[in-house]
Amino acid sequence: MASVAGWAAASTSGAFPSLPRAVVQAFYRRMRAVAPAAVGAIERDRAGDPDQGFSDTACGRLAGSLDDAGLRALGMWTHHWCMRFYDDDTRVGRRLVREIAGRPALGWTADEVRWMLRESFSAGPAAADRFTLPRAAAGQLPLADRPAFASWPEVEVPRQRRPEGSR
């Protein structure tokens, strides 16, 4: 099982510059706001049918109830949770991360992407899905703000798709 230490991963030296403490604290405040609902949804989905369509799951209903900022916070929280506790028990969380990664135009910020990248690199190769969300989010940034993909390990990026009900 791979593990990262939240703030330590966000503030250590590495390929990405450290983020100011106030920025990281704001991320944690936003993530704490969605965490109780996320934990409940993940627990209900663990006990449910793994072949159920995403929109019919507790996680799918939660994701559908959030605006873009809330969905980004849910994605960051779920990414963080999966990086800290990565093992076979994170199947539902990894599905949620993949679903959020497939949503276009969520308004990701460069700081959010850098934070997720630091977590992903800290988790190491045991967490095979560790670049799914940060890579998809980085792809939504303006070209000037995108981290260079060339230095990332090779990962499959989910195809961006429109949210249900939009054209």
Side-chain angles (χ1 to χ4, degrees), residues 1-4 79-91 94 98 123-130:
M1 180 187 300
S3 178
V4 294
H79 172 81
H80 176 69
W81 179 78
C82 286
M83 293 304 96
R84 290 185 58 106
F85 305 109
Y86 194 93
D87 61 15
D88 291 339
D89 204 27
T90 57
R91 174 186 48 81
R94 292 191 328 264
R98 286 190 305 272
D129 298 324
R130 70 190 190 277

Side-chain angles (χ1 to χ4, degrees), residues 31-49:
M31 289 187 288
R32 276 193 299 273
V34 298
V39 169
I42 286 171
E43 289 304 317
R44 285 188 299 282
D45 287 352
R46 278 186 181 157
D49 177 9

Side-chain angles (χ1 to χ4, degrees), residues 96-116:
L96 180 55
V97 164
R98 286 190 305 272
E99 289 290 333
I100 293 170
R103 307 271 173 117
L106 287 180
W108 293 100
T109 68
D111 285 342
E112 290 168 339
V113 172
R114 279 194 296 273
W115 181 83
M116 288 187 291

